[in-house]
Amino acid sequence: MYKSAKLKVLGGKLLEITLEYNGVIKKATITGDFFMYPESALQDIEKSLVGTKVERTEQEIAEQISKKIEGIGVTMIGIGVEDIAKIVKMAVEE
Amino acid sequence: MKWRVIELETRNAYSNMAIDNAVMEEVRAGKSIPTIRFYKWLPSAVSIGTFQSMANEVNVEECNRSNVSYVRRLTGGGAVYHDSNGEITYSVIAPESLFPKNIIESYKVICSWVISGLAILGIKAEFVPINDIVVNGKKISGNAQTRRDGVLLQHGTILYNTDIKKMFSVLKVSKEKISDKFIESVEQRVTKVVDYADVKQDDVYFALLKGFTKDKEFEFGYFSADELKRAEELEKEVYSADSWNFNR
């Protein structure tokens, strides 16, 4: 199943996601006009979502992403980890 | 710190992005000094942010039909239409250590150079975080920055006389939105130098040049042979390749 969602972060940037899932996420593609340093962290975040059960809560997903990127020193401008978690749930619940 | 300034020149989209990338590599290697360059795009082009989807943002068919190139940038941010006759782009490539560590603060520093240039034309502009420069609340310049291995690249566009209608024919906006009403509403949010000053493009360039070089030690220069050679490789292998441009 493919689902997409779009979120304009208040005071921030546009965040979009396309998920392929079947109970668990098989593939996640995140796009938008935000900034992230280092840029390669976005792929790490996308990979960290693979295998995630879609019924996980927004908070659990946010924690999972944070854990994946801790230590890399990621800076996001215009979006935050909580927005990514939110949009995952938005896509699933669309 | 001495800067190298490369005067306004025109290249195709792939070459423009490849040059920025190649200069970044040479600055990182300590073989090139901090660089400011000004450039235009021929043919006109759309550049998209590094995290954007080409298919979602760009009307590729219309671009192909009207000879407008499309390229993915190294930097984040949004899609920009680079009108051959209607905008000037700059790039600043330098060690990160020359700028505030805080990203918004560093945008503010470089954007102040644009603002200083516009002031010479009598245009009172201001920086609006995250990455815009506005005049009377309307955007006149968009800017995007990346940092890699200690090197900062910021590039930005200054709208001089951009064809808004053309802009929205190549950016992906549904047909019904390219109505006069929509264009009017965009014009309420976007502005250009000619709306405020009766000047030619050269005047805009020279004002920007002054704004960017004010209080700096600098010399006019050109790309090194190594930069040009590397840029040629990057143009061919990365920036003109679908594998890069359509990677999202």
Side-chain angles (χ1 to χ4, degrees):
Chain A
M1 183 183 316
Y2 287 90
K3 288 274 189 79
S4 297
K6 213 179 248 198
L7 172 71
K8 170 70 174 70
V9 176
L10 197 64
K13 297 291 185 181
L14 186 72
L15 179 62
E16 296 161 287
I17 197 166
T18 300
L19 291 180
E20 183 187 349
Y21 67 94
N22 185 7
V24 297
I25 295 170
K26 290 181 176 171
K27 192 181 176 193
T29 305
I30 298 169
T31 56
D33 61 355
F34 53 87
F35 297 92
M36 188 179 294
Y37 313 98
E39 282 85 357
S40 56
L42 189 65
Q43 283 181 337
D44 295 329
I45 292 170
E46 288 171 338
K47 279 184 201 155
S48 80
L49 292 170
V50 174
T52 302
K53 286 185 180 165
V54 294
E55 64 262 31
R56 279 200 164 191
T57 66
E58 204 174 302
Q59 197 185 340
E60 284 171 339
I61 294 169
E63 280 166 10
Q64 183 183 326
I65 296 169
S66 297
K67 200 173 168 191
K68 176 76 184 178
I69 60 175
E70 71 183 2
I72 308 178
V74 178
T75 304
M76 296 184 198
I77 308 272
I79 61 164
V81 167
E82 64 284 4
D83 299 310
I84 299 174
K86 188 176 179 179
I87 203 174
V88 170
K89 292 304 284 185
M90 281 170 64
V92 170
E93 288 161 9
E94 188 224 354
Chain B
M1 177 57 70
K2 195 175 204 175
W3 289 79
R4 169 177 60 164
V5 175
I6 295 167
E7 292 219 67
L8 187 66
E9 54 155 21
T10 303
R11 291 174 177 270
N12 71 48
Y14 319 121
S15 176
N16 272 330
M17 294 298 91
I19 284 276
D20 277 357
N21 193 333
V23 173
M24 253 189 128
E25 290 178 4
E26 293 294 290
V27 170
R28 184 185 307 141
K31 291 198 275 179
S32 293
I33 62 172
T35 299
I36 296 167
R37 63 178 285 240
F38 297 95
Y39 53 104
K40 292 169 51 170
W41 307 60
L42 189 70
S44 295
V46 177
S47 75
I48 62 166
T50 200
F51 301 125
Q52 290 191 299
S53 154
M54 185 67 81
N56 289 352
E57 301 296 329
V58 181
N59 185 338
V60 170
E61 268 182 26
E62 178 57 29
C63 285
N64 290 337
R65 196 161 34 233
S66 57
N67 192 31
V68 171
S69 307
Y70 35 90
V71 68
R72 178 179 302 279
R73 299 190 305 266
L74 260 182
T75 53
V80 177
Y81 173 57
H82 303 275
D83 186 328
S84 269
N85 299 309
E87 67 96 46
I88 293 174
T89 310
Y90 75 83
S91 293
V92 172
I93 303 154
E96 260 189 88
S97 56
L98 297 185
F99 293 93
K101 199 169 178 200
N102 178 286
I103 288 167
I104 304 288
E105 287 303 313
S106 62
Y107 269 115
K108 199 173 172 181
V109 169
I110 297 173
C111 288
S112 77
W113 306 347
V114 177
I115 291 167
S116 164
L118 292 173
I120 293 168
L121 301 171
I123 300 172
K124 198 176 169 197
E126 57 182 327
F127 172 64
V128 175
I130 301 170
N131 55 328
D132 290 339
I133 296 172
V134 305
V135 178
N136 289 338
K138 297 180 188 180
K139 183 169 170 173
I140 199 163
S141 163
N143 305 273
Q145 186 187 122
T146 185
R147 298 175 180 209
R148 285 178 190 201
D149 304 320
V151 179
L152 176 151
L153 159 67
Q154 182 171 316
H155 39 208
T157 175
I158 294 95
L159 301 182
Y160 159 68
N161 193 14
T162 299
D163 180 343
I164 304 280
K165 199 162 190 167
K166 179 77 180 174
M167 180 191 287
F168 285 95
S169 73
V170 293
L171 296 179
K172 218 158 193 180
V173 180
S174 56
K175 289 272 181 212
E176 57 274 22
K177 283 187 176 172
I178 317 172
S179 64
D180 288 342
K181 195 180 167 196
F182 179 70
I183 287 165
E184 270 171 29
S185 78
V186 168
E187 282 178 342
Q188 283 163 10
R189 289 187 287 120
V190 177
T191 192
K192 45 199 182 187
V193 169
V194 294
D195 291 343
Y196 294 92
D198 183 17
V199 290
K200 294 192 172 67
Q201 190 161 277
D202 273 356
D203 302 324
V204 182
Y205 166 60
F206 288 119
L208 289 170
L209 184 60
K210 276 189 190 161
F212 273 73
T213 54
K214 192 179 153 197
D215 301 327
K216 283 188 193 67
E217 188 191 346
F218 72 97
E219 62 187 15
F220 289 112
Y222 199 62
F223 306 110
S224 68
D226 284 349
E227 283 169 336
L228 290 170
K229 186 168 171 248
R230 178 65 179 142
E232 239 176 70
E233 286 170 10
L234 287 164
E235 177 181 347
K236 196 172 158 196
E237 291 162 17
V238 179
Y239 292 99
S240 62
D242 282 357
S243 56
W244 167 254
N245 289 321
F246 289 85
N247 73 8
R248 272 179 196 279

